[in-house]
Amino acid sequence: MISRRAALALPALLGACSPQDLANALTPRGTTAVQEGISYGPGERGRYDLYTPQGAMPDTPLIVFFYGGGWRSGDRGEYGFVARPLAALGALVAVPDYRLFPAVRWPAFVEDGAAALRAVAAGPGAGRPVIVMGHSAGAFIALALALDPRWLGRPGRDALAGGIGLAGPYDFGPEDDPDGIFAAAPGKRARAAPAEESELLGVPPLLLLHGTDDTTVRPEQTRRLATRARAQGVPVQERLYPGVGHIGILASISAPARTLGLSGAPVLEDIAGWLPGIRRSPSRAAPTG
């Protein structure tokens, strides 16, 4: 619950903060413990923050959340407003940084995601079901790890407990990539899923969420991926939220939006309802591939 003091400070905060800063400032700290800047790779971009809810058990699931930003921007410290509500569902949450354009292009940010996932799965995720999750560009990274065995190796990918995508651009061509971020990809085309349909066998359960009013990443991206995955027997739950845009779907998770009645979609509730259906065998996702 947001305090009266925080509510009275809202006008000043609105003028002084970015949207992420504001959401973080108004998100209750609760009883979640936070470890910041855990290393998974070289440099400042090779670090992650870990959110551990009070009472976490050895088999409590762990969600690895990749933020969006068009592969150009983002910082793990900006996403406590997402991690804390997810942790309140009863999951550990890791939020990694990854390298960004123009310093790198594809596939570096997916490789960073794979390195982060390996480190998390071998460390705090050992013995736990591990789920990958992302929003926008981060959803591309998360779903690439959950779908395409080239990043984790088939045993590592198949050991994941599930994948959650929010408003992800899962398949687009060079006409949508004027800066050539994906110029080194086959056919200069960005694809989260493997080209061969048979390689989708063994993919973990998926939850794919999108707003119908998203003009940044069209909801057809989610519809097409859901259809393709289902055709290969992948368990998929798909939710399209009427009237919700690209940023609104992520904002709907935040405590301020839900407390103030501004949440445009039951995103957190749908994640909570989906979690019991994940693979409950302990994660073995410390891949060598």
Side-chain angles (χ1 to χ4, degrees):
M1 187 76 175
I2 296 174
S3 69
R4 182 174 183 272
R5 183 178 179 181
L8 290 173
L10 186 58
L13 286 167
L14 284 170
C17 297
S18 71
Q20 291 100 325
D21 288 340
L22 180 61
N24 284 322
L26 295 178
T27 297
R29 305 297 94 177
T31 56
T32 297
V34 184
Q35 296 172 264
E36 298 180 349
I38 304 169
S39 178
Y40 75 82
E44 282 302 309
R45 301 299 298 181
R47 299 180 183 273
Y48 70 92
D49 294 345
L50 181 68
Y51 296 74
T52 303
Q54 187 178 48
M57 303 298 288
D59 60 348
T60 296
L62 189 153
I63 297 172
V64 182
F65 175 78
F66 296 96
Y67 52 75
W71 303 283
R72 294 174 174 84
S73 64
D75 183 274
R76 66 183 188 276
E78 299 175 344
Y79 288 89
F81 76 94
V82 175
R84 289 183 184 277
L86 290 172
L89 297 180
L92 283 77
V93 182
V95 183
D97 278 330
Y98 52 91
R99 288 173 294 169
L100 301 168
F101 177 84
V104 299
R105 300 172 188 254
W106 182 94
F109 38 81
V110 184
E111 292 172 340
D112 287 356
L117 180 57
R118 291 186 189 100
V120 171
R128 305 180 186 277
V130 175
I131 300 155
V132 287
M133 174 180 175
H135 170 248
S136 192
F140 178 95
I141 295 172
L143 269 295
L145 298 176
L147 295 170
D148 195 331
R150 69 176 138 169
W151 306 116
L152 297 174
R154 189 175 292 276
R157 184 207 64 178
D158 292 358
L160 290 172
I164 305 172
L166 279 66
Y170 304 119
D171 187 348
F172 60 90
E175 67 277 6
D176 301 307
D177 181 27
D179 293 324
I181 296 175
F182 289 87
K188 300 182 179 181
R189 190 166 195 90
R191 287 190 174 95
E196 293 295 327
E197 301 289 339
S198 61
E199 292 186 336
L200 288 171
L201 298 174
V203 165
L206 303 178
L207 177 64
L208 303 178
L209 311 176
H210 218 121
T212 62
D213 284 11
D214 191 335
T215 58
T216 302
V217 178
R218 297 288 183 180
E220 286 75 15
Q221 290 274 346
T222 285
R223 292 190 185 105
R224 287 198 296 266
L225 180 59
T227 298
R228 187 180 176 201
R230 284 195 190 103
Q232 297 304 312
V234 178
V236 180
Q237 290 189 34
E238 177 186 356
R239 300 282 187 273
L240 299 177
Y241 302 116
V244 174
H246 191 66
I247 301 302
I249 194 169
L250 189 65
S252 292
I253 293 176
S254 72
R258 290 182 291 109
T259 300
L260 297 173
L262 301 176
S263 178
V267 177
L268 197 63
E269 292 81 357
D270 285 342
I271 293 172
W274 174 83
L275 282 174
I278 64 169
R279 294 175 179 167
R280 288 288 172 177
S281 58
S283 173
R284 302 179 301 280
T288 58

